[in-house]
Amino acid sequence: MKTLTLPGFILAAVAAILWGTAGTAQTFIESPSLSPLWVGALRIVCACFFFYPALWLSRTPHSTTPVSNKNGYGLKVLAAGVCMAMFNLLFFTGVKTAGVALGSCTIIASAPVWAGILDTFIKKKAPESLWLIGIAIAIAGGVWMAVSQAGNIELNMLGMGICLLAGLFYSGYSMLAKELVSLTTPLRASAHAFSVAGCIAIAAALIFSDIPQIIASDMMIVIYLGVIVTGVAYLLYGTALKTTQVSTCVALGLLEPVTAFVLAITVVHESVNPWATVGLIAILVGLAIVLKSEQNGKVAAKKVSAGSIQATVSGN
């Protein structure tokens, strides 16, 4: 059982940790003309420059066969790309409108809730009570971290709505990515979906923001955000989805604010409210419960499968 589940947990966790470095990296961007929209668009483009060479280098005689579209692969790629582009656009817009602390918290905390809702209505599979308990504890910890760090939070309903939508699109991408990696490799699925997302993101940046003037140091940061924080992280995330439930992978995204919190102390040297560590601990405890729920589900599925095989053998 561990050989099937533990790697997925680790890959999703590493992906979330890499995402958590994005905020710290962006604080070093110097050019005022490099808007968040352009940062988001360019990092998707840089991710594609990572995916396609990696895809070419990983080619084998058996991997060059085109993916069959009989399962709607093309439509799923298009939908996943739209979800990623919308998440990218709504993330930066929502954070700007609602504020960094409350906006980021709303997006990250709402994503696993949306994943549970989508699982319930699309796959007709209600989350287990243990999973719900773990998610509640982890989300409460994330909210506590954001509130304790923010000196004065003003509630912006429009910004909150945008952030909730961002969480929905992120969960939608995760569910579609789960379908895609069952039809092809995570690398190929990521390359195709992010190509669609890149086209939409660049178009949105051109429409809603001026052409930026990028200096060399800023370009290095954008490349890091694209290749490592986006390309490598989402490749790990897609690989994790092959063996791990969507709701669990999305929940592990709550490690992102934990990483950002640690980096804020160690790298940016921000002043930190000691009470925020209570939220950090709550996130880790909640995620441990979520992982326990995932393990229980794998054990139960294995027992059901073994029982079915035994019944078939007995019947024969």
Side-chain angles (χ1 to χ4, degrees):
M1 176 192 66
K2 289 184 179 180
T3 57
L4 293 174
T5 58
L6 187 58
F9 296 159
I10 293 174
L11 294 176
V14 173
I17 291 170
L18 290 176
W19 294 330
T21 68
T24 301
Q26 290 183 59
T27 61
F28 294 101
I29 291 178
E30 299 177 8
S31 176
S33 65
L34 190 58
S35 68
L37 279 179
W38 275 108
V39 172
L42 290 174
R43 74 174 186 170
I44 291 180
V45 172
C46 288
C48 289
F49 281 114
F50 162 76
F51 288 134
Y52 281 101
L55 189 60
W56 183 81
L57 290 171
S58 66
R59 285 190 310 171
T60 66
H62 301 288
S63 66
T64 55
T65 304
V67 180
S68 173
N69 201 40
K70 64 181 181 180
N71 293 314
Y73 178 79
L75 289 176
K76 290 174 182 177
V77 164
L78 181 61
V82 170
C83 283
M84 176 51 61
M86 290 301 298
F87 164 68
N88 197 65
L89 178 62
L90 292 170
F91 177 88
F92 290 111
T93 305
V95 167
K96 182 177 179 180
T97 306
V100 175
L102 189 58
S104 299
C105 174
T106 302
I107 295 169
I108 295 167
S110 68
V113 177
W114 283 121
I117 293 173
L118 291 174
D119 260 344
T120 301
F121 285 96
I122 296 176
K123 296 187 176 180
K124 309 298 182 183
K125 181 182 178 182
E128 296 182 2
S129 57
L130 189 61
W131 184 89
L132 292 172
I133 292 171
I135 284 296
I137 294 173
I139 289 175
V143 172
W144 178 260
M145 282 184 68
V147 172
S148 63
Q149 283 299 102
N152 183 25
I153 294 180
E154 295 183 4
L155 187 63
N156 185 307
M157 296 307 295
L158 175 61
M160 290 287 290
I162 293 172
C163 291
L164 287 172
L165 278 177
L168 173 60
F169 277 107
Y170 171 69
S171 297
Y173 169 81
S174 298
M175 293 202 71
L176 288 162
K178 177 79 169 179
E179 296 290 327
L180 290 174
V181 297
S182 69
L183 301 175
T184 186
T185 64
L187 180 56
R188 180 176 295 185
S190 299
H192 293 167
F194 273 79
S195 295
V196 175
C199 292
I200 298 173
I202 288 292
L206 287 170
I207 293 171
F208 297 109
S209 186
D210 296 329
I211 301 294
Q213 294 180 346
I214 306 176
I215 60 178
S217 60
D218 289 348
M219 196 62 221
M220 294 302 297
I221 295 172
V222 170
I223 291 172
Y224 167 76
L225 291 172
V227 174
I228 305 300
V229 178
T230 306
V232 173
Y234 274 99
L235 178 57
L236 293 174
Y237 188 70
T239 305
L241 286 169
K242 289 183 73 70
T243 57
T244 308
Q245 294 180 23
V246 173
S247 55
T248 300
C249 284
V250 173
L252 284 165
L254 287 163
L255 287 173
E256 181 178 343
V258 173
T259 304
F261 177 81
V262 173
L263 290 177
I265 299 173
T266 59
V267 177
V268 185
H269 302 295
E270 290 184 359
S271 58
V272 173
N273 189 328
W275 284 104
T277 55
V278 176
L280 186 150
I281 294 171
I283 290 175
L284 297 178
V285 170
L287 290 179
I289 295 174
V290 167
L291 296 183
K292 179 63 177 176
S293 173
E294 171 88 8
Q295 278 191 326
N296 290 345
K298 292 286 185 179
V299 171
K302 190 174 181 180
K303 288 181 178 178
V304 170
S305 177
S308 299
I309 294 173
Q310 185 176 4
T312 302
V313 173
S314 299
N316 292 336

